[in-house]
């Protein structure tokens, strides 16, 4: 029979689950070599027995758990590196270590990283990056985080809607409305969107803001040319090539993050299409290089470093009975990449 309380061992979980010790170890660490059905069974048994819970409860209660696990979508995207810098600032102030994992905007990979961090017995887990608009995709991560919190772990997320934990919520929809209003105010009517990966809530929210601006100004959202591609610089390049091919009349391109906007500007420069004289370009986030691009990028500023600080600060607070929400606010930063459309299109 499994041993109760703090003496519970991994071998007890393996015995109850009817698997080998190696299989139980791989399943709880989220490593390959175990079928999802078996891994789910082992995790359920471990939760029922309290195997995962007890190490967290002991280390957190005794103050010995000094590691923060941070999962980001794209480590080479300045958006996430700036968020990470905020997390690292608070961690340094509190004497904590930070372990950073990269999910690549793949929910299955994110789940593996999450389980790995739990197996490493980190005390705090932070997840930064868009959620997924299919609740079934989020369900397993939500369940893992719920079990981690029940065991005494602490959690906060940035930009996630449906994980049931403390969250820092970027001003995505309102920022999208400001972008749309800015371009419409300049006189643009032939607007295209480099929209990023479909299925991401950040993409959906920012796009919803843009379409709301069109509706508020008496224009049909159906007139908006929306092109989806990866939510990266290369995705911005791909989306721009498609926009120029299928919508050559476009006078303004909205990239739903600055990484994509950099790709947009790259293609326009290679095609010798002047910005903003022929095509205006807008981004979203205001990463640190946005002001140094040529032309400098009009974009929506989110306080990314502060968002990282807010998330870890939330996680360090005593857990509340209901998940807390912190809105980020935003600012439209108008620079040189936007202007009126060409006279013949005005």
């Amino acid at each position: 029979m499994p041993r109760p309380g703090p003496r519970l061992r991994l071998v007890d979980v393996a015995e109850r689950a009817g698997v080998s010790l190696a299989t139980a170890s791989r399943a709880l660490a989220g490593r390959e070599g175990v079928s999802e059905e078996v891994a789910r069974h082992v995790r359920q048994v471990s939760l029922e027995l309290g195997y995962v819970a007890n190490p967290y409860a002991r280390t957190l209660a005794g103050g010995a758990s000094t590691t923060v696990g941070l999962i980001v979508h794209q480590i080479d995207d300045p958006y996430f590196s700036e968020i990470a810098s905020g997390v690292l600032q608070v961690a340094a102030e509190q004497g904590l270590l930070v372990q950073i994992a990269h999910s690549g905007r793949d929910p299955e990979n994110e789940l593996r990283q999450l389980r790995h961090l739990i197996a490493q017995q980190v005390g705090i887990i932070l997840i930064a990056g868009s959620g997924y608009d299919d609740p079934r995709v989020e369900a397993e991560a939500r369940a893992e985080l719920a079990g981690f919190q029940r065991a005494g772990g602490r959690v906060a997320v940035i930009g996630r809607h449906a994980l049931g934990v403390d969250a820092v919520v970027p001003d995505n929809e309102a920022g999208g409305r400001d972008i749309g209003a800015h371009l419409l105010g300049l006189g643009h009517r032939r607007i295209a969107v480099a929209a990023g990966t479909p299925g991401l809530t950040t993409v959906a929210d920012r796009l919803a803001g843009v379409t709301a601006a069109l509706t508020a100004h008496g224009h049909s959202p159906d007139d908006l040319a929306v092109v989806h591609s990866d939510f990266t610089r290369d995705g911005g390049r791909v989306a721009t090539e498609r926009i120029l091919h299928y919508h050559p009349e476009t006078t303004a391109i909205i990239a739903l993050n600055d990484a994509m906007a950099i790709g947009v500007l790259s293609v326009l420069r290679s095609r010798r299409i002047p910005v903003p004289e022929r095509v205006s370009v807008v981004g979203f986030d205001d990463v640190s290089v946005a002001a140094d691009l040529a032309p400098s990028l009009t974009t929506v500023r989110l306080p990314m470093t502060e968002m990282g600080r807010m998330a870890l600060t939330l996680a360090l607070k005593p857990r509340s009975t209901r998940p807390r929400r912190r809105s980020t606010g935003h600012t439209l930063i108008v620079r040189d990449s936007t202007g009126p459309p060409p006279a013949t299109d005005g």
Side-chain angles (χ1 to χ4, degrees):
M1 290 294 291
R3 304 176 185 183
R7 294 180 297 146
L8 190 73
R9 303 169 301 166
L10 179 59
V11 68
D12 300 317
V13 177
E15 181 181 340
R16 173 65 68 87
V19 300
S20 70
L21 183 61
T23 296
S25 176
R26 286 194 296 270
L28 294 179
R31 294 196 295 268
E32 296 180 355
V34 182
S35 73
E36 181 55 36
E37 181 179 359
V38 170
R40 187 180 296 110
H41 173 61
V42 173
R43 291 194 299 271
Q44 183 60 39
V45 169
S46 73
L47 288 174
E48 290 172 356
L49 295 179
Y51 173 75
V52 174
N54 289 333
Y56 295 123
R58 289 198 304 272
T59 56
L60 286 170
S65 182
T66 60
T67 302
V68 178
L70 170 63
I71 302 175
V72 300
H73 276 338
Q74 197 82 26
I75 193 62
D76 59 351
D77 185 329
Y79 175 83
F80 294 107
S81 61
E82 292 184 37
I83 285 174
S85 72
V87 172
L88 289 167
Q89 288 173 13
V90 175
E93 294 164 4
Q94 299 296 324
L96 302 171
L97 301 175
V98 179
Q99 180 178 341
I100 301 178
H102 166 104
S103 72
R105 297 189 178 86
D106 178 346
E108 290 299 321
N109 188 37
E110 179 182 275
L111 196 58
R112 285 192 293 271
Q113 299 290 348
L114 175 58
R115 288 168 178 161
H116 178 72
L117 290 173
I118 292 173
Q120 294 297 311
Q121 298 185 14
V122 300
I124 296 171
I125 291 177
L126 307 177
I127 302 178
S130 175
Y132 305 93
D133 60 15
D134 183 347
R136 293 171 298 180
V137 173
E138 299 270 53
E140 287 192 86
R142 183 183 178 112
E144 293 284 351
L145 292 174
F148 178 68
Q149 286 188 310
R150 286 194 299 270
R154 299 181 183 180
V155 179
V157 297
I158 300 171
R160 303 300 283 260
H161 292 55
L163 292 180
V165 297
D166 291 347
V168 176
V169 184
D171 228 356
N172 288 324
E173 187 167 345
R177 285 197 299 271
D178 280 358
I179 287 173
H182 171 64
L183 292 175
L184 291 168
L186 289 171
H188 291 278
R189 299 295 180 267
R190 299 166 183 174
I191 300 171
V193 181
T197 312
L200 295 178
T201 54
T202 294
V203 171
D205 291 346
R206 293 179 180 184
L207 186 57
V210 174
T211 58
L214 264 67
T215 301
H217 286 75
H219 303 289
S220 172
D222 294 337
D223 296 334
L224 195 67
V226 178
V227 177
H228 289 280
S229 60
D230 290 341
F231 214 22
T232 62
R233 181 173 55 189
D234 286 343
R237 292 190 184 107
V238 170
T240 305
E241 295 286 3
R242 292 175 183 167
I243 289 167
L244 295 176
H245 180 75
Y246 293 105
H247 309 282
E249 72 284 356
T250 296
T251 65
I253 298 176
I254 299 171
L256 292 187
N257 70 7
D258 285 350
M260 293 192 80
I262 292 170
V264 172
L265 289 171
S266 174
V267 170
L268 295 176
R269 183 168 56 249
S270 70
R271 296 284 200 94
R272 299 186 184 278
I273 297 173
V275 177
E277 292 81 6
R278 172 62 183 84
V279 176
S280 287
V281 178
V282 185
F284 205 119
D285 295 331
D286 196 30
V287 298
S288 57
V289 300
D292 300 323
L293 298 171
S296 58
L297 182 65
T298 294
T299 186
V300 168
R301 175 178 294 166
L302 295 178
M304 292 167 289
T305 300
E306 181 58 25
M307 287 156 56
R309 291 186 62 89
M310 291 167 66
L312 183 48
T313 300
L314 265 180
L316 288 168
K317 292 179 179 293
R319 188 179 174 190
S320 65
T321 55
R322 299 178 64 181
R324 293 166 288 213
R325 295 287 184 268
R326 298 289 186 269
S327 180
T328 63
H330 74 282
T331 308
L332 178 67
I333 305 297
V334 178
R335 298 194 179 102
D336 296 337
S337 67
T338 52
T344 55
D345 293 310

